[in-house]
Each structure stands twice: as C-alpha cells, then as structure tokens.
Amino acid sequence: MTMGILDYCFYAAMGLTVVFTALIILMIVLYIMGSIEIGGEKQDKAPAKAGAPAAAAAAPAGKPAPGTAGELKLYDTDPRDAAMIMAIIADELGKPLNELRFISIREVQR
C-alpha cells in the first residue's frame, strides 16, 4: 500500500490541528488559573492596605520627592546591583520606587 501526496498532507494537517488544539486548551487553563490567583492575591493584600495609614503616620512628615527620595550611599556594591535590589524590594512591597527611601546599600561579605 503506497501513500500519495494527499495522504501526507492530510496527516500533516491532522497533526498540526492536534498540536494547536492542545496549545489553545493549555492557554485557556493557564488564563483561568491566573485569574484565580490574581483574585486570591487581591484578598490577601486587602488587610495589608488597611494597616498602611498607621505606617504612613509613623513616617516623618515632609513632601515626598516626585522622582527621587534623596541621596543613596553605596558601600562595596555595584550601582547595577543596587538598582536591581531596589526594584525587587519595591515590587515585593507593591509600592512605586519613588515612594521608598533607600539611605545606603552595603554588600555583606561571608
């Protein structure tokens, strides 16, 4: 039994259809899981935001700078590494970088 060119095209089309169908199903599942996770994070962060005014009241009174929050001293730290550290901390706290004040960053040698 020999296969013709049409048979090869049919099997190729069926294979592509199966692969793309599986990818679409996976995309839908991941989208649903992401929506569930985002909803859970909003509920977890709600109590933290309720305590935020107390933390803001403890901060010294003063007008925050629009772009920077003062001078930063680096001790044995590369400026690129310091920028990454500040970005990670701002992301973990969920605050914009210009609302945080870093006084100094020092590399700890072990």
Side-chain angles (χ1 to χ4, degrees):
M1 177 177 182
T2 61
M3 290 178 49
I5 189 75
L6 291 177
D7 292 329
Y8 288 122
C9 290
F10 173 74
Y11 287 122
M14 289 301 294
L16 288 172
T17 303
V18 168
V19 168
F20 280 107
T21 303
L23 287 174
I24 290 170
I25 291 171
L26 181 63
M27 185 177 66
I28 291 170
V29 168
L30 290 175
Y31 179 76
I32 291 170
M33 289 176 63
S35 297
I36 291 170
E37 181 67 29
I38 289 172
E41 286 180 3
K42 287 181 182 176
Q43 291 173 356
D44 291 345
K45 289 186 179 181
K49 288 185 179 180
K63 184 178 177 183
T68 63
E71 186 176 327
L72 173 66
K73 295 180 184 175
L74 299 178
Y75 299 101
D76 300 325
T77 306
D78 185 37
R80 181 177 178 266
D81 294 337
M84 288 192 312
I85 291 168
M86 292 187 292
I88 291 169
I89 291 172
D91 184 55
E92 288 292 322
L93 293 174
K95 292 191 172 249
L97 193 57
N98 66 339
E99 289 184 8
L100 300 176
R101 181 162 185 223
F102 294 91
I103 298 173
S104 67
I105 297 178
R106 179 176 309 212
E107 182 178 355
V108 177
Q109 300 289 336
R110 291 187 181 204

